[in-house]
Amino acid sequence: TVEPAPAPSSSSSSSKSKVPFTMEELSTLAKGVKKFPPGGANRWDQIASYINNVCRPDIPRTKEECIEVFNQNKNAKAPAGAAPSKQPAVAAPAAVASVATNGESTEDEDVWTEEQDQQLQEGLSKFPATMDKNERWTSIAKCVPGKSKKQCV
């Protein structure tokens, strides 16, 4: 006479629908980790905000999600309890790097000087996220000599 029905419904409500990171979000997370070095004030808040500004997901990413996904990728192994759909995301940063270059010179795309990084940050501050996305990134890219719009995004 024990009814197991409440357990499945409570587990589905407690797990809430976790949306896996897209390839764009994983790439932006990798860029954010480089932009905001360890030891900086509110590093993970800044990284989450960076992802939300660049990718504009329907449900904004939290710092906790960013930390979790970063640690999964850093360890290069999914935890035993990870959902199978998240397994491909573990190897995604390398996949993103190989797909993004498509034969282009990787040195130009991967190497950012401190000055370029600062110019990008200034452009992000100068041009609000409320602008048309294409127009905003075109304007931001103009602030960063030697980098294309695609590289700035």
Side-chain angles (χ1 to χ4, degrees):
T1 61
V2 175
E3 295 182 26
S9 65
S10 66
S11 68
S12 65
S13 65
S14 68
S15 66
K16 295 186 181 177
S17 56
K18 259 191 174 178
V19 180
F21 273 50
T22 64
M23 293 294 276
E24 180 186 14
E25 288 171 322
L26 287 170
S27 175
T28 306
L29 173 63
K31 288 178 185 178
V33 167
K34 288 180 182 177
K35 282 187 184 311
F36 304 104
N42 303 318
R43 178 187 191 209
W44 289 103
D45 286 321
Q46 290 179 314
I47 292 171
S49 178
Y50 177 67
I51 291 170
N52 293 330
N53 286 336
V54 172
C55 302
R56 296 179 184 241
D58 292 336
I59 301 169
R61 296 297 183 180
T62 64
K63 69 178 182 179
E64 290 81 11
E65 287 178 295
C66 295
I67 293 168
E68 180 182 344
V69 170
F70 173 75
N71 286 333
Q72 286 176 354
N73 288 319
K74 183 177 79 169
N75 297 335
K77 289 184 181 178
S85 64
K86 290 189 179 184
Q87 291 264 353
V90 172
V96 170
S98 64
V99 171
T101 58
N102 276 344
E104 296 172 10
S105 172
T106 47
E107 290 113 33
D108 292 341
E109 197 160 317
D110 293 340
V111 178
W112 283 72
T113 64
E114 288 294 322
E115 186 178 351
Q116 287 173 323
D117 185 54
Q118 184 60 38
Q119 291 164 335
L120 176 64
Q121 292 304 317
E122 289 170 6
L124 287 167
S125 298
K126 184 177 179 182
F127 300 103
T130 54
M131 287 178 68
D132 172 69
K133 196 173 187 179
N134 189 38
E135 185 180 323
R136 178 179 188 230
W137 284 107
T138 300
S139 300
I140 290 170
K142 288 178 183 176
C143 295
V144 187
K147 295 294 178 183
S148 68
K149 179 174 105 176
K150 181 180 176 183
Q151 291 168 319
C152 289
V153 173

